[in-house]
Amino acid sequence: DHTGMMGNPLYHDEIGKMCFNAAKNWQISWYGGVGDESMYKVKVDPQETPLSSFTLVGIGEFDKNTNDKHPVVVKIETGTNKDYFIGFNRAVGPNAQNVEADNEVTIVQVNGGNGLDYGQSYLKAHLLSDEVYTENNFANTGEPLSIKVNSIDLSTEPATAGINIMFGSDLHECRIDSDCFDDGV
């Protein structure tokens, strides 16, 4: 994927203002310890908390996130070493020259390492406002997990992205159209 520097989209080491993807941001210790939760890194286990909401800020503006302390990365715990990571790929400052998914919410999954150690990461989706990504068999539970971007506000500093994380078929059953996601569940 070309959403971050480790994807090396420019094929050079000394050019390009871009940061790491959400999984690699979790792994490094720039804001909190390596893989540890902090005010900028939040972990959620959807099997324990089926519905959660977050307002994200991008790594390019995390230093302007002084009042509300919104997270930069959310880790979705799977109970395996193949967790998911959500970030707001805000294209400003040190992240201004992204090649893919500028100002979108990105969802990355690691193939091993649990977000703590080396593990190949894969871009699963990049979403604009009102878009949804669904994993139909989340962590081999037979239940769906959906991530919906409710809003992206580029008019504020820092810019923000509001997301919902929903787990379980009970939460996916909608009774009126306005409650339904556009992902078919």
Side-chain angles (χ1 to χ4, degrees):
D1 87 72
H2 291 182
T3 60
M5 190 52 125
M6 293 186 94
N8 199 16
L10 300 176
Y11 305 103
H12 297 282
D13 289 334
E14 303 302 322
I15 63 170
K17 290 183 177 181
M18 61 187 68
C19 297
F20 302 121
N21 68 29
K24 302 309 178 189
N25 277 329
W26 181 270
Q27 187 176 352
I28 59 180
S29 61
W30 289 347
Y31 27 80
V34 174
D36 290 341
E37 290 183 77
S38 71
M39 70 180 75
Y40 299 117
K41 296 168 152 182
V42 176
K43 180 170 62 173
V44 62
D45 184 342
Q47 295 178 67
E48 292 179 11
T49 308
L51 180 61
S52 52
S53 298
F54 298 97
T55 300
L56 304 173
V57 297
I59 184 65
E61 293 181 311
F62 97 97
D63 60 333
K64 294 174 173 59
N65 184 23
T66 55
N67 292 333
D68 296 320
K69 304 294 187 205
H70 298 302
V72 172
V73 59
V74 173
K75 176 183 179 179
I76 300 178
E77 182 62 53
T78 63
T80 73
N81 63 357
K82 297 181 179 182
D83 294 318
Y84 292 84
F85 299 84
I86 305 170
F88 179 36
N89 201 31
R90 177 73 169 121
V92 295
N95 206 39
Q97 294 174 324
N98 285 317
V99 177
E100 185 176 12
D102 286 356
N103 301 319
E104 296 183 33
V105 172
T106 58
I107 302 165
V108 176
Q109 184 178 30
V110 294
N111 188 15
N114 202 29
L116 302 173
D117 300 316
Y118 172 80
Q120 179 69 43
S121 58
Y122 297 94
L123 179 65
K124 300 296 277 187
H126 51 91
L127 306 173
L128 295 168
S129 187
D130 294 321
E131 292 185 330
V132 179
Y133 171 77
T134 297
E135 188 69 36
N136 287 316
N137 183 18
F138 175 72
N140 294 317
T141 61
E143 296 287 337
L145 176 107
S146 291
I147 300 159
K148 180 179 182 184
V149 178
N150 298 314
S151 64
I152 294 177
D153 186 353
L154 303 179
S155 69
T156 60
E157 188 175 83
T160 59
I163 63 167
N164 283 346
I165 303 168
M166 258 185 14
F167 172 71
S169 54
D170 289 345
L171 290 176
H172 282 77
E173 293 178 14
C174 52
R175 289 164 183 65
I176 57 174
D177 286 344
S178 63
D179 290 341
C180 298
F181 284 169
D182 292 331
D183 64 347
V185 292

